[in-house]
């Protein structure tokens, strides 16, 4: 049993474990491996109903805040994914937690992550001195299939800049620790009440910018996968619509204007 162990030694022990040994800690169906999560390229081929999902005029206006580097468009389709379900099941390098600034276990996805990770996650969080809104701090994943948890604190006042910083700082955190796969919940859109659609624009835009910057790096330094973990049906619908703008799988693109739905 690990419950009497100190979090520091347990963190080191788990991080040094082979993948095979890490997996032995779980029932077979209790973790989801990265290779079984469809990239957006495959998802967009398999889900035929997606083409019917058109952005609105508001979406188009929000999308104007970015100009895509078209030369990278094809390869980036492999780097992003929508996954619908429980983020605590994902065997990725890091899952992101929508935390509070005290880094004390709360409700929502934060509660789910703490429950699945076990008490050492809180013990490590207690040593970090909290986390200001928009910043990100990293801990071990403990009993989670994910190696690390990146805790970021979303805005409670609807600040778009702060939400963007959550994504930017989570990416910075993973780069610093040489991590290659990350899964985000829809930060701030639950208890903190940020509008879901605008939040998805910010998440997708920030991810696109990060990947465009990153793709010029050497193969070994590149990102493997950014996963947008949707949990509520409304977010599935929003992400399935908007990801088509930010990661277009067709020749046309929304920077040139394309058909939209009436609002
Ligand atoms: N897997 C993936 N996403 C989930 C899961 C899950 N297991 N559970 C919930 N979500 P919220 P916030 C989705 O409220 O708005 C906590 O008390 C959920 O449906 O968790 O940033 C913290 O301690 C929603 O789409 O985060 C803070 O006090 C998304 O996760 C406060 O809530 C985020 O909702 C943070 O509020």
């Amino acid at each position: 049993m690990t419950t009497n162990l100190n979090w520091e030694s347990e963190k080191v022990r788990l991080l040094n474990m082979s993948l095979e040994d890490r997996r032995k800690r779980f029932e077979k169906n209790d973790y989801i491996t990265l290779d079984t999560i469809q990239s957006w390229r495959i998802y967009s081929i398999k889900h035929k109903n997606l083409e019917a999902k058109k952005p609105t005029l508001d979406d188009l206006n929000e999308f104007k805040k970015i100009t895509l580097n078209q030369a990278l468009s094809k390869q980036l389709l492999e780097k992003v994914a929508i996954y619908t379900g429980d983020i605590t099941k994902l065997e990725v390098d890091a899952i992101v937690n929508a935390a509070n600034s005290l880094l004390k276990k709360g409700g929502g996805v934060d509660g789910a992550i703490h429950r699945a990770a076990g008490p050492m996650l809180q013990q490590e969080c207690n040593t970090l001195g909290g986390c200001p809104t928009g910043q990100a701090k990293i801990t071990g994943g403990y009993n989670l299939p994910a190696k690390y948890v990146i805790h970021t604190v979303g805005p409670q006042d609807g600040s778009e800049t702060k939400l963007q910083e959550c994504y930017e700082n989570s990416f910075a955190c993973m780069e610093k620790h040489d991590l290659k796969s990350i899964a985000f919940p829809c930060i701030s859109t639950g208890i903190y009440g940020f509008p879901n659609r605008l939040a998805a624009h910010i998440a997708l835009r920030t991810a696109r910018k990060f990947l465009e910057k990153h793709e010029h790096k050497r193969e070994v330094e590149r990102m493997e996968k950014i996963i947008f973990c949707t949990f509520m049906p409304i977010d599935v619908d929003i992400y399935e619509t908007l990801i088509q703008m930010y990661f277009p799988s067709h020749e046309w693109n929304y920077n040139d204007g394309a058909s939209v739905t009436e609002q």
Side-chain angles (χ1 to χ4, degrees):
M1 292 297 282
T2 58
T3 39
N4 292 326
L5 288 172
N6 166 294
W7 67 263
E8 283 173 295
S9 53
E10 181 64 353
K11 183 177 175 182
V12 172
R13 186 182 80 84
L14 289 168
L15 290 174
N16 287 332
M17 251 186 200
S18 68
L19 183 60
E20 201 187 349
D21 284 341
R22 287 182 66 84
R23 285 182 177 169
K24 280 186 193 149
R25 300 175 304 147
F26 302 99
E27 296 292 330
K28 205 166 173 220
N29 292 326
D30 239 16
Y31 59 90
I32 291 153
T33 60
L34 198 54
D35 58 321
T36 60
I37 298 174
Q38 286 175 357
S39 69
W40 163 234
R41 188 182 71 77
I42 303 291
Y43 192 107
S44 68
I45 294 167
K46 291 203 170 164
H47 292 70
K48 293 284 177 220
N49 61 332
L50 291 176
E51 283 182 21
K53 298 192 176 193
K54 301 279 188 217
T56 63
L57 285 172
D58 279 350
D59 289 330
L60 220 49
N61 280 331
E62 190 60 32
F63 181 64
K64 283 185 188 146
K65 293 181 181 167
I66 188 173
T67 302
L68 306 187
N69 177 348
Q70 297 298 340
L72 292 174
S73 275
K74 261 212 168 109
Q75 69 217 59
L76 295 190
L77 300 180
E78 295 289 349
K79 304 275 174 165
V80 288
I82 297 174
Y83 171 80
T84 300
D86 183 357
I87 202 167
T88 67
K89 303 287 184 205
L90 300 181
E91 188 193 60
V92 287
D93 285 345
I95 61 170
V96 175
N97 181 17
N100 55 63
S101 58
L102 297 174
L103 298 183
K104 295 286 182 205
K105 175 184 173 181
V109 71
D110 185 20
I113 289 173
H114 275 275
R115 277 193 300 279
M120 285 187 196
L121 179 62
Q122 186 63 62
Q123 286 166 24
E124 185 176 2
C125 283
N126 291 346
T127 68
L128 298 177
C131 181
T133 303
Q135 297 295 304
K137 294 200 176 173
I138 191 164
T139 65
Y142 301 98
N143 295 339
L144 290 165
K147 283 188 195 154
Y148 293 93
V149 179
I150 295 175
H151 307 260
T152 190
V153 182
Q156 299 183 59
D157 61 358
S159 164
E160 296 177 36
T161 313
K162 288 289 174 202
L163 187 60
Q164 183 180 319
E165 285 173 11
C166 285
Y167 285 92
E168 288 169 347
N169 287 319
S170 297
F171 286 132
C173 201
M174 68 175 302
E175 271 193 294
K176 193 173 160 195
H177 289 81
D178 224 7
L179 310 182
K180 303 270 186 286
S181 54
I182 189 167
F184 286 97
C186 303
I187 302 163
S188 268
T189 63
I191 293 163
Y192 283 177
F194 199 99
N196 299 58
R197 205 164 183 102
L198 184 54
H201 274 285
I202 293 168
L204 288 160
R205 182 168 62 232
T206 313
R208 173 87 200 193
K209 282 186 181 167
F210 173 78
L211 284 170
E212 286 193 1
K213 205 175 80 194
H214 227 257
E215 274 305 284
H216 300 292
K217 294 194 167 180
R218 289 186 307 136
E219 192 62 47
V220 286
E221 292 173 346
R222 284 189 198 153
M223 272 294 296
E224 265 177 48
K225 195 84 82 231
I226 298 173
I227 299 162
F228 300 102
C229 182
T230 49
F231 199 66
M232 309 291 280
I234 176 84
D235 287 316
V236 181
D237 186 57
I238 290 172
Y239 272 83
E240 285 185 343
T241 308
L242 300 186
I243 198 171
Q244 301 186 63
M245 309 181 85
Y246 290 91
F247 294 90
S249 54
H250 295 73
E251 289 303 311
W252 48 260
N253 76 87
Y254 284 95
N255 279 141
D256 300 333
S259 61
V260 295
T261 51
E262 294 301 320
Q263 305 201 70

